[in-house]
Amino acid sequence: MVTLQGKYRYREPKDYSQDVFIANVIGKRRKVVIKRFWSRDHPLCFNERLFLEELDHPELPKVEDYFCEGDKTYLVISFYPGTEIKKMPECGTEDSVRDCLIQGAQLLQYLKGINIVHRDVTPNNLVKGKKLALIDFGLAVFYSPLTDRRSNTRAGTWAYMAPEQSEGHAHFKSDVWGLGASMYFYLTGLYGLAEMEELWFPEGVVGNVLRDMLQKDLEKRISASDVLERLK
């Protein structure tokens, strides 16, 4: 077992390349997430801490601690109990997908209200517990017209990345695509949708909403508020 700062204890995994741990808070019956960065001034650590400190929502993470030991930096983040959509044992029903779409769209609306584009909304970063949570803000940016136009901001997970994001353009609706692609994976097990010519959608409101979330044309794609209006 590894102890950090006399406050956190976790088991070092066999894969030493892994740098995200679930740790116990010593003397308290609760868990936290610890991210380890292999330098004292790692840009991803700075970026994630910057955005987490902007968040104030029960289904979004918070910074609990931040410290250096040796040449490494550690970021301690609140733990959200649940299962990542990627690790769900079976595909979701339409009712389950509908609930997740509503809760996910509410999170995206909140982020838009504080001008944040997550850029990595994927089944790995959506955690299904009592409600749907969104984690990992290491690639987040504050939105501006420049993030919509410049060509040097390509970031995210290819299989769930909106077409415009793969070209370096980050927009609030890029996160809507990520949520739609994640829920399409939850429903069908399929991913890499931007490369597919045709997609199957179930009949009814859930299928229609997913279809419109996954419009390759940004102008035709619906917003998070549209998702909520159509599903509630």
Side-chain angles (χ1 to χ4, degrees):
M1 298 294 284
V2 178
T3 300
L4 291 172
Q5 300 286 293
K7 295 189 286 186
Y8 311 108
R9 184 174 291 133
Y10 67 90
R11 188 180 300 279
E12 185 80 49
K14 293 180 180 178
D15 178 4
Y16 289 100
S17 66
Q18 182 177 335
D19 291 314
V20 181
F21 317 103
I22 305 242
N24 293 305
V25 181
I26 296 172
K28 298 182 181 179
R29 298 182 63 180
R30 67 186 189 90
K31 300 178 185 295
V32 292
V33 175
I34 296 182
K35 287 193 170 186
R36 177 174 60 193
F37 299 86
W38 292 82
S39 71
R40 282 181 163 262
D41 54 356
H42 199 291
L44 286 180
C45 180
F46 175 81
N47 191 72
E48 184 153 14
R49 183 184 175 195
L50 172 70
F51 284 96
L52 292 181
E53 288 176 344
E54 294 288 321
L55 305 179
D56 184 16
H57 191 288
E59 276 71 59
L60 296 174
K62 296 179 176 65
V63 174
E64 297 208 4
D65 202 353
Y66 172 82
F67 56 88
C68 296
E69 281 197 3
D71 59 351
K72 303 179 189 68
T73 302
Y74 296 85
L75 187 61
V76 182
I77 303 167
S78 56
F79 172 74
Y80 191 86
T83 303
E84 296 167 10
I85 292 294
K86 182 78 171 180
K87 296 179 180 177
M88 295 294 288
E90 56 188 24
C91 289
T93 63
E94 285 189 41
D95 284 344
S96 178
V97 168
R98 179 182 180 277
D99 289 344
C100 287
L101 283 171
I102 290 171
Q103 292 164 21
Q106 289 171 335
L107 294 176
L108 296 188
Q109 256 199 326
Y110 171 83
L111 292 178
K112 183 177 181 180
I114 55 175
N115 211 38
I116 291 175
V117 182
H118 185 280
R119 295 203 300 177
D120 202 23
V121 181
T122 70
N124 285 325
N125 290 333
L126 290 165
V127 179
K128 195 171 187 298
K130 290 183 178 179
K131 287 190 174 183
L132 191 71
L134 177 61
I135 61 174
D136 197 345
F137 280 71
L139 298 180
V141 292
F142 288 113
Y143 177 80
S144 78
L146 288 177
T147 63
D148 230 350
R149 298 180 193 145
R150 64 189 180 190
S151 59
N152 63 345
T153 59
R154 187 178 185 276
T157 302
W158 169 82
Y160 303 96
M161 192 185 297
E164 71 280 354
Q165 192 175 334
S166 68
E167 297 175 357
H169 311 311
H171 189 278
F172 297 117
K173 287 185 180 179
S174 306
D175 285 348
V176 172
W177 172 287
L179 177 62
S182 297
M183 290 302 104
Y184 194 87
F185 169 81
Y186 185 30
L187 184 67
T188 68
L190 298 176
Y191 56 91
L193 309 185
E195 301 297 318
M196 297 183 184
E197 293 297 325
E198 294 186 11
L199 296 174
W200 169 86
F201 295 96
E203 294 183 4
V205 64
V206 170
N208 290 336
V209 167
L210 282 172
R211 179 183 289 107
D212 291 342
M213 294 174 76
L214 294 169
Q215 289 288 336
K216 294 181 181 181
D217 185 335
L218 183 65
E219 297 300 320
K220 295 179 180 178
R221 192 179 311 150
I222 60 176
S223 66
S225 61
D226 294 328
V227 173
L228 292 173
E229 183 177 341
R230 290 171 58 175
L231 290 179
K232 279 194 163 183

